[in-house]
Amino acid sequence: MTIDENLLVLLLALLLDRIAGDPQWLWSRMPHPVVMFGAAISYADRQLNPASLTGSQRRMNGTAAIMALLLLAVAAGFVFNRFFALFGLVGILLETGLVAIFLAQKSLADHVAAVAVALRDEGLAGGRTAVSRIVGRDPQTLDEPAVCRAAIESLAENFSDGVVAPALWYAAFGLPGLFAYKMLNTADSMIGHKSEKYIDFGWAAARLDDIANWPAARLSILLIAAGAWIRRGTSAGREAIRVAMRDGALHRSPNSGRPEAAMAGALNVQLAGPRIYGGVIVAEPMINDTGRDVATSGDIEDGVSVFYASCMVLAGVTFGLFLCFL
């Protein structure tokens, strides 16, 4: 496809995903493409990451594995692209549906909003259960403000790597770029950990994922600021940019701190800080330490509102670029 066709498909996919999200009736009957990516990654892990290998051997195998998986993803993207091209307008609609599957607007917002609902309807226990579905930290260690912070942080971080990044990779490189990004992002979530098993085998996947997400994380700042300006006024948009520029690098990830800091500024709340993962305390400084130190379920709902406005801005930018390339 040409760049204008990619932008048209992306625009339609953003709209479709915003309306339909991830229909459970479909994925209960067939495997989600990301599940198939995960199966390929798990196979590589079983075959190439035995405990008997040295660290350097694991790193070499992990690098070879992620490169092979990326080549496989790119090849699959080319095949689907060529196949859809055979069907003209119908092919464009089929590709739109496929691209929408890899976006996470409605599903992300629904999962995050469910945390606020659970806190109000079921109290802290319900909030912990709901937030455990979207974050990796130990839910039983979280009080109510920490549950709210975790939900907001997940919303901001996943806006970048679940919406903006796949949109960018598809706009620039079509289905091969989108498939490669999603394979890499899935690999990072599965093997890109600093555990004894994966610190070497997942090293290449983690480093490449950092590189792949670098542009989206910075663009997310502007999109969140624009969404905050739409929903919460000029000062909120300005604060989103100011806090992101000041505190975005405080996060242990080179990318996640950027959208999280922007959302912290937009909502005037503190985010991040010390957290517990698998019983281990991860000490990080507070992002936006001058903001409110008690996040609430109302902040979650405000964050979702800013998120949807930011998604709307992304769709608007996509439409504007489509007109420019016509």
Side-chain angles (χ1 to χ4, degrees):
M1 282 190 175
T2 60
I3 183 65
D4 59 318
E5 290 174 327
N6 281 356
L7 289 168
L8 174 60
V9 168
L10 177 58
L11 176 61
L12 295 175
L14 285 166
L15 296 175
L16 177 61
D17 177 59
R18 172 64 180 84
I19 296 168
D22 277 335
Q24 288 305 308
W25 61 266
L26 177 62
W27 306 126
S28 63
R29 291 167 172 79
M30 61 182 294
H32 194 286
V34 172
V35 173
M36 291 187 281
F37 288 174
I41 295 161
S42 293
Y43 178 80
D45 182 19
R46 291 192 302 270
Q47 298 299 314
L48 300 174
N49 191 29
S52 58
L53 297 182
T54 65
S56 60
Q57 289 173 324
R58 287 185 176 194
R59 182 169 292 198
M60 182 170 59
N61 281 5
T63 301
I66 193 60
M67 296 308 295
L69 288 166
L70 289 175
L71 286 174
L72 180 64
V74 168
F78 272 115
V79 169
F80 273 97
N81 179 259
R82 295 297 184 185
F83 176 72
F84 291 149
L86 298 174
F87 299 97
L89 178 59
V90 173
I92 289 177
L93 296 177
L94 290 172
E95 186 156 331
T96 294
L98 183 58
V99 173
I101 289 171
F102 290 100
L103 300 172
Q105 296 170 101
K106 188 176 186 298
S107 60
L108 174 58
D110 287 349
H111 279 91
V112 172
V115 178
V117 173
L119 282 170
R120 288 177 175 167
D121 293 349
E122 305 169 40
L124 179 57
R128 285 172 170 171
T129 299
V131 84
S132 69
R133 300 186 181 107
I134 58 174
V135 300
R137 66 198 70 174
D138 297 339
Q140 297 307 313
T141 66
L142 304 177
D143 58 14
E144 185 165 331
V147 168
C148 295
R149 288 198 303 273
I152 295 167
E153 290 162 18
S154 180
L155 178 69
E157 178 182 352
N158 285 291
F159 172 60
S160 176
D161 61 20
V163 179
V164 181
L168 279 180
W169 280 88
Y170 178 77
F173 302 109
L175 286 178
L178 176 62
F179 280 23
Y181 172 77
K182 292 304 293 187
M183 178 68 82
L184 180 59
N185 192 240
T186 305
D188 179 61
S189 68
M190 293 177 64
I191 64 174
H193 312 301
K194 293 184 178 179
S195 63
E196 182 179 352
K197 182 177 181 180
Y198 292 122
I199 190 167
D200 291 304
F201 186 73
W203 174 84
R207 299 292 79 75
L208 289 173
D209 186 71
D210 288 342
I211 294 170
N213 278 298
W214 196 97
R218 277 74 188 168
L219 177 59
S220 295
I221 295 173
L222 299 178
L223 294 171
I224 290 172
W229 175 74
I230 291 170
R231 296 299 189 202
R232 297 174 60 81
T234 304
S235 62
R238 189 164 50 241
E239 279 298 289
I241 293 177
R242 187 184 70 82
V243 175
M245 294 297 101
R246 187 191 68 194
D247 295 349
L250 295 179
H251 201 283
R252 60 197 166 105
S253 164
N255 296 314
S256 298
R258 269 63 186 190
E260 287 187 22
M263 189 65 78
L267 302 179
N268 187 34
V269 294
Q270 296 178 4
L271 295 179
R275 288 161 288 182
I276 299 177
Y277 293 89
V280 178
I281 297 176
V282 177
E284 288 188 9
M286 276 290 182
I287 290 174
N288 192 28
D289 60 2
T290 59
R292 288 182 292 108
D293 59 358
V294 177
T296 67
S297 58
D299 291 317
I300 297 176
E301 292 170 340
D302 288 343
V304 171
S305 176
V306 170
F307 166 80
Y308 270 140
S310 302
C311 292
M312 181 176 67
V313 173
L314 175 60
V317 170
T318 302
F319 180 63
L321 289 173
F322 167 68
L323 293 179
C324 289
F325 281 97
L326 272 181

